[in-house]
Amino acid sequence: MLYEHSGYHVNSPASFVVPCGRVPFGTGRNGPAEWIRTAYHDMANADVVAGTGGIDASIGFELDRDENPGKGFNETLFNLRDFMTARTSMSDLIAMGALFAAGGCSGGKVLLPFRGGRIDAAGAGPKGVPRPEETLESHEAAFARQGFNQEEMIGLVACGHTLGGVHGVDFPQIVAVVNDTTTDDNTQTFDPTNDGESAFDNEVASDFVSNIGNNPLAFGHNVTTNSDGRIFNSDGGKLIRAMAQSNDFFLSKCQTLLEKMINTVPKGVTLGEPIEIIPVKPSSLYATVGDSLGKMTVSGLVRLVSRENSWDADPGRQVKIHIRPRSGTPCSSTTPCTVVEATEFSWSRSLYHEGGFPYFKKYQFTQEIPTAQGIAAFDVEVLDTASNGSVSSTLHTNGGKGFPFDDTILTQPKMTCNGQKSSGIFNLTIAVRNDAGFREVKANFQLPQPLDALVPKISTESTDLKKIDQPNHTGYTLFHTQYRLPVGTYTLTYDLVASNATKTVRRLFNEVSEIKSCPGSD
């Protein structure tokens, strides 16, 4: 979700707001601005001393409050909820949404490091969003409670108000309502640069310093609600002038402050290390048994970073997969592994155009191997040809362990189909290796509950698979189940669990969307 926004088998909420200016909800609406606003309003009831609140998706339970007016919160959460999984909470997605908005509207110049691990709240938190009519002292106290000092308050408000504006339909005391509110939100933007890859810029600061009266929260007719003006001048105008003088300084300050905002979490929540691009990323690993006598067909994709950051680059690149046998013995001259050449299959990329992330190339491999040999892992060899004709070879071994490919429990893609888009029936067939001695096989589906909630809880529903066949000369037994899944665009996953009295093996986080649609379900 973080790095691949467009291309084959891509599933990222970035596609809603990147490039900047997408999600046209209505006249005067700005999707990226609403995603940043959602993140701030979710965080705003934090009490860092008490260790409560922060980015925790409690905003989904707080939309009836007068401090959260407008349709933007509902629509932001509605767009994000389809990407919730057992490993992506709504609060992680809210934080990621702010990251995408800032990155997309700065052309990739504001890139927030992303740490996962936020936990969704089970209900509403206390009130705590500052309102435009409050005093400067009240704003300073609210931001201090959230963990921001005076300078950080000034900077965060400027960064938050470089996009979007004030909707008269929600704040008629600030912006006059002159157009039909059924088709126009009567928006007055904070500054003129409100979409495109340079919309996230310092014009909101430079306009204020130059006394250009765009910002309705700084120069509005209602002095009581001119909170931006009071905040920007609270240090004598020192920081806002510095932000006005240098766009680079503005962007750097915003990156620091927005990162602090999305990393404000309740006590007891520990965020992981920043998620970085890894050089080799396998996916879609399957093994089909029974196609040929005593054989199994292993297949998968391997994602590599494009050398020249272009979808048509790397014409001389070769990718070879070294398959380690089930015994786990590393490949060597004395114990050679099966080697198969992978072919270029697809590409994917970030939608940030400047300073952003690279293009990726995905390479596909398929190889028939003896079932008795099996597979435990594989290494990836990359051969690149330089302009002078010389060839360099790099062998990626995942720290010496190989990239894991456990052949104990295997979804059978040819015998499985996905009816999520029609009947909801998921026909699942798996193969379990006989020598493992497993007697019980289950599928655990991670499903959003309830489906009508803006922040649905991800629950696990379990079903048993029944033995249906033991094909000769395969060494495997087939198990099957039919399970009804929610119909729609939700990101659904399932775990496979096989066990006996002494041992349990799991194949985790399998994607339903990777499975072909059932006949007649498209």
Side-chain angles (χ1 to χ4, degrees):
M1 292 184 183
L2 273 176
Y3 296 119
E4 297 179 69
H5 307 159
S6 175
Y8 174 76
H9 194 57
V10 167
N11 185 40
S12 173
S15 60
F16 280 98
V17 295
V18 184
C20 185
R22 301 182 82 170
V23 196
F25 289 130
T27 304
R29 301 282 299 282
N30 183 292
E34 292 177 0
W35 285 29
I36 292 176
R37 184 175 183 237
T38 298
Y40 175 72
H41 278 239
D42 188 39
M43 185 279 305
N45 59 15
D47 186 328
V48 295
V49 174
T52 59
I55 301 288
D56 61 0
S58 64
I59 184 71
F61 304 96
E62 299 160 1
L63 299 184
D64 58 344
R65 296 176 178 174
D66 57 6
E67 65 185 23
N68 295 320
K71 297 175 286 189
F73 302 115
N74 299 65
E75 289 171 340
T76 297
L77 296 173
F78 184 82
N79 283 321
L80 292 177
R81 71 175 186 169
D82 281 359
F83 300 91
M84 289 182 66
T85 72
R87 299 185 182 183
T88 46
S89 64
M90 176 59 83
S91 42
D92 270 348
L93 291 169
I94 289 172
M96 198 181 293
L99 177 155
F100 289 143
C105 292
S106 67
K109 294 178 181 178
V110 178
L111 296 178
L112 310 180
F114 183 79
R115 303 170 183 265
R118 294 165 190 82
I119 297 174
D120 292 345
K127 288 188 174 184
V129 181
R131 297 173 60 97
E133 65 272 16
E134 293 178 10
T135 64
L136 175 62
E137 292 73 21
S138 176
H139 280 99
E140 289 177 330
F143 278 88
R145 169 177 47 76
Q146 298 159 12
F148 297 94
N149 61 29
Q150 183 192 57
E151 179 179 291
E152 291 172 324
M153 171 187 71
I154 296 167
L156 189 59
V157 170
C159 298
H161 289 171
T162 183
L163 301 174
V166 178
H167 306 303
V169 67
D170 302 321
F171 296 96
Q173 74 277 24
I174 301 175
V175 174
V177 176
V178 295
N179 298 322
D180 183 358
T181 57
T182 62
T183 58
D184 190 331
D185 280 1
N186 292 265
T187 303
Q188 183 175 337
T189 58
F190 294 119
D191 69 43
T193 55
N194 212 32
D195 58 25
E197 294 173 13
S198 59
F200 197 104
D201 63 6
N202 69 336
E203 187 159 353
V204 68
S206 61
D207 281 358
F208 179 79
V209 171
S210 300
N211 207 35
I212 298 174
N214 288 310
N215 186 344
L217 293 180
F219 301 101
H221 67 276
N222 187 347
V223 177
T224 304
T225 58
N226 285 346
S227 55
D228 280 14
R230 292 190 289 272
I231 289 171
F232 292 161
N233 283 325
S234 61
D235 68 343
K238 179 181 177 181
L239 180 62
I240 202 68
R241 284 196 299 271
M243 297 180 84
Q245 289 169 2
S246 170
N247 191 54
D248 288 341
F249 175 76
F250 179 90
L251 297 179
S252 175
K253 180 68 72 172
C254 291
Q255 178 162 319
T256 299
L257 293 173
L258 289 175
E259 182 183 0
K260 180 175 180 177
M261 179 185 79
I262 66 172
N263 288 346
T264 300
V265 294
K267 179 173 60 179
V269 175
T270 301
L271 301 181
E273 292 298 313
I275 297 174
E276 304 286 353
I277 295 173
I278 60 176
V280 177
K281 183 177 176 62
S283 64
S284 305
L285 302 179
Y286 292 97
T288 303
V289 301
D291 282 349
S292 300
L293 195 64
K295 303 283 188 177
M296 63 193 303
T297 303
V298 297
S299 62
L301 297 175
V302 173
R303 190 199 74 186
L304 304 176
V305 175
S306 171
R307 285 182 301 169
E308 299 175 24
N309 202 23
S310 170
W311 69 270
D312 59 352
D314 315 313
R317 171 171 281 181
Q318 284 183 289
V319 178
K320 295 182 178 181
I321 308 300
H322 297 248
I323 297 174
R324 298 190 185 189
R326 187 179 299 131
S327 63
T329 306
C331 305
S332 67
S333 57
T334 56
T335 56
C337 292
T338 302
V339 179
V340 56
E341 185 160 348
T343 58
E344 186 176 315
F345 179 73
S346 65
W347 59 272
S348 61
R349 67 179 178 94
S350 159
L351 292 173
Y352 302 151
H353 292 294
E354 294 181 25
F357 309 128
Y359 279 76
F360 301 99
K361 288 291 187 68
K362 296 182 181 180
Y363 297 82
Q364 184 181 51
F365 68 91
T366 302
Q367 179 65 32
E368 193 174 66
I369 60 175
T371 305
Q373 171 187 316
I375 179 173
F378 59 90
D379 302 327
V380 178
E381 182 183 8
V382 180
L383 298 97
D384 285 316
T385 303
S387 57
N388 63 4
S390 63
V391 178
S392 62
S393 173
T394 305
L395 185 66
H396 299 272
T397 64
N398 192 31
K401 299 177 181 178
F403 296 95
F405 194 142
D406 189 339
D407 67 1
T408 309
I409 318 172
L410 302 168
T411 295
Q412 297 300 284
K414 293 183 178 180
M415 304 176 71
T416 299
C417 71
N418 173 19
Q420 187 186 355
K421 295 181 180 180
S422 56
S423 66
I425 297 298
F426 188 59
N427 280 286
L428 173 62
T429 299
I430 71 170
V432 179
R433 217 172 64 224
N434 294 337
D435 62 6
F438 294 128
R439 298 180 179 179
E440 186 177 72
V441 182
K442 292 181 177 293
N444 297 328
F445 291 91
Q446 290 87 36
L447 307 175
Q449 302 287 344
L451 296 180
D452 58 351
L454 287 172
V455 186
K457 180 181 178 182
I458 301 296
S459 63
T460 298
E461 297 183 7
S462 182
T463 185
D464 293 319
L465 281 80
K466 295 182 179 181
K467 177 180 175 180
I468 59 170
D469 194 11
Q470 193 168 6
N472 293 330
H473 309 292
T474 64
Y476 283 84
T477 297
L478 300 180
F479 293 80
H480 176 77
T481 189
Q482 284 190 335
Y483 200 78
R484 186 176 295 278
L485 300 175
V487 175
T489 58
Y490 302 97
T491 303
L492 305 179
T493 60
Y494 63 98
D495 299 337
L496 299 176
V497 183
S499 60
N500 56 29
T502 60
K503 185 179 179 182
T504 298
V505 172
R506 297 176 174 86
R507 191 177 181 94
L508 304 178
F509 206 66
N510 305 281
E511 294 185 61
V512 170
S513 62
E514 283 198 342
I515 302 299
K516 68 180 184 297
S517 296
C518 295
S521 64
D522 290 332

